[in-house]
Amino acid sequence: MSETAVKTGMRKSTPKIPESGRMRRIIKNRAIYLMILPGFLYFLIFKYIPMSGLIIAFQEYQAYLGVTGSPWVGLKHFERLFTEPMFFTILGNTLLLFFLNLAFYFPVPIILALMLNEVRREVFKRFIQTLVYIPHFMSWVIIVSISFVMLSMDRGIINELMVMAGFDKINFLMSSDWFRPMYVMQVIWREAGWGTIIYLAAMAAIDPGLYEASRMDGASRFRQMWHITLPSIRSVIVVLLILKIGDVLELGFEHIYLLLNSMNRDVAEIFDTYVYTAGLKQGQFSFSTAVGFFKSLIGLILVMLANKLAKKAGEEGIY
Amino acid sequence: MMTRLSNYVFLTLAVLIVSAACLSMARSSGEDEGSTSSGRLTSISIMANLHTAQVPSDWIEKWLEERTGTQLDIQWVPDGSYDQKVYASLATGTLPQALYLKNAASLSYFRDEIRSGLFWEIGPLLADYPNLKNLKPEVLNNTSIDGKLYSLYQERALARQGIIYRKDWADRLGLSAPETLDELYEMLKGFTYNDPDNNGVDDTMGLADRNDLIYGAFKTISSYYGTPNNWGWYHDSLQPEFVFPNYMETMKFFRKLHSEGLMNEDFPITSKTDQQELFVTGKAGVYIGAMGDVLSLESRLLAHDPAAELDVHNRVLGPEGYGIWASEGYGTVILFPKSAIATEEELKKILSFYDALMSPELANLIYWGIEGTHYTVQNGKAMAVDAFELKEKDVKPYQALMVGGFSTIPGMLQPVNANKVKDKAEQLIYDNESFLIYDPTGPLESPLYNEIGVRLNEHMRDAAYQFMLGMMDEKGYEAEIDRWLEDGGRQIIEEYNASYRRTVGAYLHE
C-alpha cells in the first residue's frame, strides 16, 4: 500500500487527526504497525503472558487448587535447590560443559564455512554442504544410539578393533573421563554443518571488489581470508556468540539424559536432568519452575555481560 | 528469557485452560442428553484409559448398559496424555463419577488430593457387596491412605518374576534347573565357558541383564538372597533394603558375574530391547524377569534357531529359604470424586454397578468379549478369536474397565494356553504366591520421601551399579549409605516408622 493511499484512506474514515505526535505517527504508519501486529501478538501470547506462570515457583502449586488457590511458600523451593547436596556439582557441570562447547564447538562452523567458501567448484561445494547438514536432522536418540552401538563394551566395533590391535577395551560409555569429550564430539558432529549457514550467507554478502583489489595487490588466498573474509563476518560472529551465551544452560536435555548413567552422573548431571528426576517425574511443578527460573536468571546475566563486553570492544551487540 | 522447562509448564497451563473449556462444553451437552432421553436409568460417567490407537466400538458398552440397567458415559482418553487429562479435569472441577488412574504410581501422586477430601471413602461400604468384598485385603491395604480405603483396584499378578533359560543348552551340558544360587552360578559359568551352543567358538555368555534394578535380574536375585522388598524389619524398625547384609551379598554376586564375564559387560546401560536381543539371538542363555515374556521370547528365538528350547523356573533356594518380591498387586485404581457424586445414595448405586462388573458374566464380557463372536469356550477355558481387528476395536479397550481379576472373580474364564512353556510360566506365577516378600511401606507415607525420595534413591542406585562394576568397594558403599542417611534418609526412616505406628493403630481399631 502506498503512502498516499494510506493518507487518503485515513482522511475519509477519520476526519479528525489527534494532535498528539505519537498517535499521529502511529495512525499515519498504520499499515506498518499492522504488519508488526502478528509478531507482536506472538511474543505477547506465547512468550510474555506465560511468564506470569513463574509465580508458581513461589507457591506449593496443586492442580486442584489452581494458581489462585495454591498456598504461598516464599523462597522455599529456591532454598531446597541451594541446599541440594549436589548443587555445586550440577552448577559446575553445567558451566563446564558450556565452556567446553564454546571453546571446541563454536569455532568449528566458522572454520568449516571458511573452507567451504574457498571451494571453487560450485557442484562440489553444494554437495559437501548438503552432506554436513544432514546430521542436524537426526534426533539425539539416533545419534546416541549409533555411538552406543559403536562404543559398547560387548559388541562395539571400536572396542573390537582395539582388542584386535592389541589394546585394552575402553569403557567409553560408563566412565566419567570420557563423558565430556563424547558430548562435545557429538555436538560438533550434529551441529557444525548446520552452523555454517549463517556464516556462508554473511560471506556471500562481501563485496567481490575487495577480493579483486587484494588480488591486484598480490594477496594470497590465505591473506584474503585473514584480511577480508574474517573481518567482514566479525559482527556476525559476535552476535552469534552472544546468542550462544544466552543459551548457556540449554545444553540439550535429551542429549545429556540419553548419555547419563550411574557411572558418569558426577560429571554429566546438569540442571535439566536434575529437575527432571527431582521435580517433574514426581509432579513437583513448583520446584521445577523454581529451578527453571534460576537457570533463566543466570542466562540473562551472562547475556547482558557478554553484550556489554561486545560493546566495549566496539561491536554492535544485540540491543 | 524463557527456558524450555518453564515453556513446558506454561504450555501445560495453556492446555489446561483450553481443555477445561472443551470439557465443560462436552459435559454440559452430555448431561442434557441424559436427562431428556432416560430419566429412570442410573447414569454413570467414567473416564478410562484407552490403550489402543482406534476409537472403541460400543458393542460391549451397549451390552453392559443393558445388563446393568445403567446409562454409561465413557470418556476414553489416550494413554499418552492420560495423566495430563486427569490433572486438567481436577483443576477445572470436571471429574467424572468414576475416575480410573493411569497406573499404580499415579496413586502416590494423588495422596494429597485424596487426603484433602476430594474423594469418597468406600472402605466401610464394601462388605455390603457380594462381589466387591472378594477384593483381597492385602492389596486393598496397599491402596489405602492413612489406613482409609478410597478406591477399588484392578488386579495384577503379585509376582511374575522368575528365570527363563535355554533348556537345550542346559541339557547339552548336563545341567538341570538351578535349585540354589550356587547352581545358578554354575549354570551361568557353564553357559559362558563350555560352549553350550556347540559351535566351537567362544561367543556365548550366561546372563543378559539390563539397566533396571527392579524389573531386571537384580531385585529377583536379591529376593533369592532373602533381601526385603524395598523396606524391611531390622530389630524393631523399618529400614531400607540396602542396609541389609543380603543386599550386599546380592551386589557381590553380580560383581562376581560381571568380573568373570558371565553377563553382558554393559548391563547398567543396556536397554530392554538390547537385553532381549542378546537372548533371542543365542548370545546369552539366561533371562531373569517377567516369566510371561517367555512366549514372545520363544517365538523370536525359534526364528533365529529352530532347534532352541526354553524353560522357566522360579524356586531358587537362598540362605533364608524361598522368596520372591511381591508387587503392589494392582494395576490401577478407581476413585469416586465427591464433586461428581453428590450423595451417598448415588455412590451406592455406582458401587452396585461395579459389583455387577465383578460378576463372572460381566467380567467375562469385558475381558473376553461376546461368546461366539470374540471367543470360544474349550474345556471351560476361553480361546480368543484370532482376529486382531475385532479384539483391538471391540474388546481390548474395555479391559481397562476391569475391577479385580482372575484371582478375585471365581468363575472368570481362564485363557487356553496352546504353548507349553507359557502354561508352565502361568503356573509358576501362581506358585510364587506361596513365598511372597511384601513391601511393608505400600500403604505408608513419608512426606520427605515424596519430596526428595526419588533423588536420594538415585544416588543409592548409582552406588550399587558402581559397586557391581568394581568401581567402588564395600567401604565406599557404606559411605554412600551414611550420605543417604545424612541427606534426609534418617528422617525418611523416622517418618515411615511413625506412619506405620499410626496406620497399624487405625487397622487394629477396625
Side-chain angles (χ1 to χ4, degrees):
Chain A
M1 206 185 276
S2 76
E3 183 89 334
T4 45
V6 174
K7 271 184 187 157
T8 49
M10 271 288 318
R11 296 235 161 86
K12 267 178 207 156
S13 53
T14 51
K16 257 190 172 178
I17 295 174
E19 293 304 308
S20 131
R22 178 171 295 169
M23 267 322 276
R24 197 193 181 91
R25 268 210 312 281
I26 290 178
I27 289 168
K28 193 173 144 195
N29 299 320
R30 64 172 186 172
I32 294 168
Y33 278 98
L34 220 62
M35 273 185 241
I36 207 178
L37 191 68
F40 175 75
L41 284 179
Y42 168 78
F43 279 100
L44 188 73
I45 295 171
F46 293 105
K47 301 284 175 187
Y48 281 88
I49 293 178
M51 253 192 250
S52 60
L54 279 178
I55 56 171
I56 70 169
F58 306 96
Q59 293 181 328
E60 197 68 75
Y61 177 73
Q62 274 156 333
Y64 67 98
L65 296 172
V67 178
T68 46
S70 296
W72 295 92
V73 293
L75 295 176
K76 180 186 157 199
H77 299 295
F78 293 91
E79 269 169 39
R80 182 181 153 198
L81 174 64
F82 298 139
T83 53
E84 156 71 37
M86 289 266 287
F87 176 74
F88 287 102
T89 315
I90 295 169
L91 185 65
N93 287 342
T94 310
L95 291 176
L96 188 61
L97 282 180
F98 163 70
F99 282 116
L100 287 174
N101 232 338
L102 209 58
F104 292 99
Y105 161 70
F106 190 74
V108 177
I110 302 174
I111 296 167
L112 200 59
L114 286 173
M115 284 159 68
L116 279 171
N117 199 40
E118 297 301 317
V119 174
R120 297 234 186 140
R121 272 177 188 271
E122 198 60 17
V123 184
F124 182 65
K125 183 178 161 183
R126 297 260 167 237
F127 177 70
I128 296 288
Q129 249 177 296
T130 314
L131 217 60
V132 295
Y133 286 175
I134 289 175
H136 175 79
F137 298 102
M138 290 186 195
S139 73
W140 282 120
V141 179
I142 293 175
I143 293 168
V144 172
S145 305
I146 294 173
S147 33
F148 265 42
V149 170
M150 287 171 45
L151 299 173
S152 158
M153 293 282 279
D154 284 320
R155 288 175 293 174
I157 306 160
I158 294 187
N159 272 323
E160 295 292 318
L161 285 175
M162 296 230 292
V163 170
M164 272 199 266
F167 295 103
D168 282 340
K169 283 186 184 178
I170 295 179
N171 201 345
F172 295 102
L173 299 170
M174 295 188 289
S175 96
S176 302
D177 303 333
W178 283 96
F179 170 76
R180 287 176 183 133
M182 201 163 64
Y183 169 79
V184 174
M185 296 282 278
Q186 286 172 346
V187 170
I188 291 175
W189 190 76
R190 183 180 190 244
E191 299 296 348
W194 188 249
T196 59
I197 290 182
I198 294 176
Y199 296 115
L200 283 172
M203 287 172 193
I206 299 171
D207 182 0
L210 291 171
Y211 292 108
E212 276 164 30
S214 71
R215 265 203 296 278
M216 300 289 254
D217 292 341
S220 65
R221 301 280 297 202
F222 186 73
R223 285 275 144 209
Q224 287 176 20
M225 193 198 279
W226 189 254
H227 290 290
I228 300 172
T229 317
L230 270 179
S232 308
I233 61 167
R234 210 174 92 152
S235 57
V236 175
I237 296 177
V238 171
V239 167
L240 286 181
L241 187 65
I242 297 172
L243 291 178
K244 176 94 194 143
I245 290 171
D247 284 343
V248 57
L249 305 175
E250 298 295 334
L251 297 162
F253 166 74
E254 307 97 298
H255 185 193
I256 294 193
Y257 190 70
L258 290 165
L259 289 176
L260 186 70
N261 59 53
S262 296
M263 275 57 63
N264 62 20
R265 193 181 305 280
D266 54 329
V267 296
E269 188 88 285
I270 58 168
F271 281 110
D272 298 275
T273 54
Y274 166 72
V275 84
Y276 179 70
T277 44
L280 285 178
K281 257 187 173 173
Q282 289 172 288
Q284 297 174 2
F285 299 117
S286 287
F287 179 62
S288 308
T289 309
V291 178
F293 197 6
F294 173 71
K295 246 182 63 178
S296 306
L297 278 180
I298 297 186
L300 182 65
I301 292 168
L302 282 166
V303 167
M304 288 168 79
L305 271 176
N307 201 49
K308 207 163 221 165
L309 282 177
K311 280 191 172 160
K312 272 229 171 90
E315 290 293 335
E316 270 186 41
I318 52 167
Y319 59 87
Chain B
M1 283 289 327
M2 296 297 300
T3 65
R4 171 179 326 188
L5 184 65
S6 28
N7 265 332
Y8 282 166
V9 174
F10 304 134
L11 200 68
T12 316
L13 286 175
V15 172
L16 274 174
I17 294 163
V18 175
S19 48
C22 300
L23 247 163
S24 57
M25 278 189 281
R27 270 183 63 86
S28 57
S29 64
E31 275 160 14
D32 290 346
E33 268 171 42
S35 56
T36 48
S37 65
S38 52
R40 288 194 354 265
L41 293 176
T42 316
S43 127
I44 300 177
S45 59
I46 294 171
M47 185 156 125
N49 199 339
L50 184 63
H51 292 279
T52 53
Q54 292 173 322
V55 181
S57 64
D58 60 359
W59 262 59
I60 291 181
E61 190 178 336
K62 286 269 160 359
W63 274 68
L64 272 179
E65 291 183 336
E66 202 178 293
R67 296 293 162 88
T68 55
T70 48
Q71 166 95 34
L72 294 179
D73 170 19
I74 304 176
Q75 193 190 353
W76 294 106
V77 179
D79 187 55
S81 55
Y82 197 81
D83 270 340
Q84 286 96 306
K85 184 77 179 186
V86 172
Y87 274 112
S89 311
L90 189 68
T92 53
T94 51
L95 289 170
Q97 287 165 304
L99 174 69
Y100 286 75
L101 292 186
K102 185 181 165 87
N103 52 36
S106 307
L107 180 63
S108 63
Y109 302 143
F110 255 75
R111 282 190 167 156
D112 281 339
E113 280 82 354
I114 293 171
R115 236 180 236 127
S116 71
L118 288 175
F119 300 96
W120 285 96
E121 190 194 342
I122 59 166
L125 301 175
L126 281 195
D128 303 340
Y129 298 90
N131 296 322
L132 292 180
K133 73 177 179 202
N134 289 339
L135 292 171
K136 290 182 183 171
E138 312 91 78
V139 181
L140 288 174
N141 184 20
N142 280 342
T143 67
S144 70
I145 286 152
D146 300 336
K148 289 182 185 161
L149 184 69
Y150 296 87
S151 55
L152 300 173
Y153 72 86
Q154 195 173 86
E155 185 180 307
R156 285 282 179 284
L158 279 160
R160 293 183 284 191
Q161 314 298 313
I163 298 173
I164 300 173
Y165 68 97
R166 288 288 293 267
K167 182 88 166 41
D168 53 332
W169 287 13
D171 288 347
R172 193 166 292 145
L173 302 180
L175 297 164
S176 54
E179 303 290 334
T180 63
L181 281 160
D182 289 336
E183 284 181 36
L184 178 63
Y185 171 76
E186 288 307 324
M187 173 181 264
L188 295 175
K189 200 164 181 173
F191 281 1
T192 308
Y193 293 113
N194 297 347
D195 191 24
D197 56 355
N198 210 11
N199 65 352
V201 189
D202 178 19
D203 59 353
T204 56
M205 64 175 107
L207 177 68
D209 196 14
R210 66 166 183 266
N211 58 352
D212 192 330
L213 285 184
I214 298 168
Y215 296 99
F218 185 84
K219 197 172 170 82
T220 299
I221 300 226
S222 90
S223 287
Y224 297 157
Y225 270 103
T227 317
N229 184 357
N230 297 337
W231 287 73
W233 290 103
Y234 189 74
H235 296 307
D236 273 340
S237 77
L238 281 168
Q239 296 286 336
E241 56 182 356
F242 45 76
V243 305
F244 288 79
N246 319 54
Y247 194 86
M248 179 47 88
E249 289 305 313
T250 313
M251 289 200 298
K252 283 182 179 161
F253 184 75
F254 273 89
R255 187 176 170 134
K256 195 161 93 174
L257 296 185
H258 186 261
S259 68
E260 293 177 8
L262 309 187
M263 68 190 298
N264 48 330
E265 272 188 81
D266 275 344
F267 79 96
I269 53 169
T270 302
S271 66
K272 187 174 180 179
T273 324
D274 289 345
Q275 176 202 21
Q276 296 196 336
E277 192 68 21
L278 285 172
F279 190 69
V280 299
T281 52
K283 296 231 161 37
V286 177
Y287 178 99
I288 300 179
M291 287 187 284
D293 286 349
V294 73
L295 190 63
S296 66
L297 289 175
E298 191 187 56
S299 69
R300 287 167 64 194
L301 178 62
L302 289 178
H304 180 82
D305 177 5
E309 197 186 335
L310 289 183
D311 202 358
V312 285
H313 185 68
N314 70 328
R315 285 178 180 246
V316 176
L317 194 65
E320 302 190 10
Y322 293 119
I324 188 72
W325 60 281
S327 67
E328 301 94 334
Y330 62 95
T332 186
V333 297
I334 307 143
L335 289 163
F336 304 96
K338 283 184 181 163
S339 60
I341 306 172
T343 62
E344 199 168 314
E345 292 312 304
E346 215 180 326
L347 176 68
K348 282 180 177 165
K349 275 185 189 158
I350 293 165
L351 286 177
S352 309
F353 168 75
Y354 276 103
D355 190 55
L357 218 51
M358 269 187 82
S359 68
E361 187 204 2
L362 291 184
N364 284 331
L365 177 68
I366 54 176
Y367 192 85
W368 293 108
I370 294 154
E371 189 178 350
T373 311
H374 301 110
Y375 71 99
T376 54
V377 176
Q378 300 176 354
N379 306 328
K381 287 183 170 185
M383 180 79 180
V385 169
D386 195 18
F388 184 76
E389 269 293 298
L390 221 56
K391 271 192 281 189
E392 283 286 297
K393 225 173 148 52
D394 293 350
V395 187
K396 207 173 164 218
Y398 289 92
Q399 291 179 349
L401 297 182
M402 197 84 204
V403 183
F406 289 107
S407 79
T408 42
I409 306 175
M412 193 178 159
L413 290 168
Q414 295 281 340
V416 173
N417 268 325
N419 183 297
K420 210 179 86 227
V421 195
K422 168 80 177 168
D423 204 40
K424 185 174 173 190
E426 298 291 344
Q427 285 167 25
L428 297 189
I429 289 170
Y430 182 69
D431 181 52
N432 269 346
E433 300 201 0
S434 49
F435 41 86
L436 292 171
I437 305 173
Y438 284 99
D439 176 358
T441 59
L444 305 183
E445 163 89 357
S446 154
L448 189 64
Y449 182 83
N450 289 348
E451 193 176 315
I452 61 167
V454 169
R455 183 74 194 155
L456 272 182
N457 283 356
E458 195 176 68
H459 289 310
M460 293 316 295
R461 198 182 66 216
D462 290 355
Y465 276 126
Q466 287 171 16
F467 183 88
M468 290 188 279
L469 292 191
M471 296 172 172
M472 181 186 273
D473 59 9
E474 216 170 318
K475 279 228 167 59
Y477 189 79
E478 275 157 16
E480 286 295 320
I481 296 179
D482 288 339
R483 207 176 94 180
W484 183 88
L485 289 169
E486 286 306 309
D487 289 350
R490 199 160 278 137
Q491 194 183 332
I492 290 175
I493 292 175
E494 272 167 30
E495 286 177 353
Y496 270 134
N497 281 292
S499 171
Y500 176 80
R501 287 189 293 273
R502 276 200 309 276
T503 315
V504 166
Y507 266 97
L508 290 178
H509 220 64
E510 271 178 20

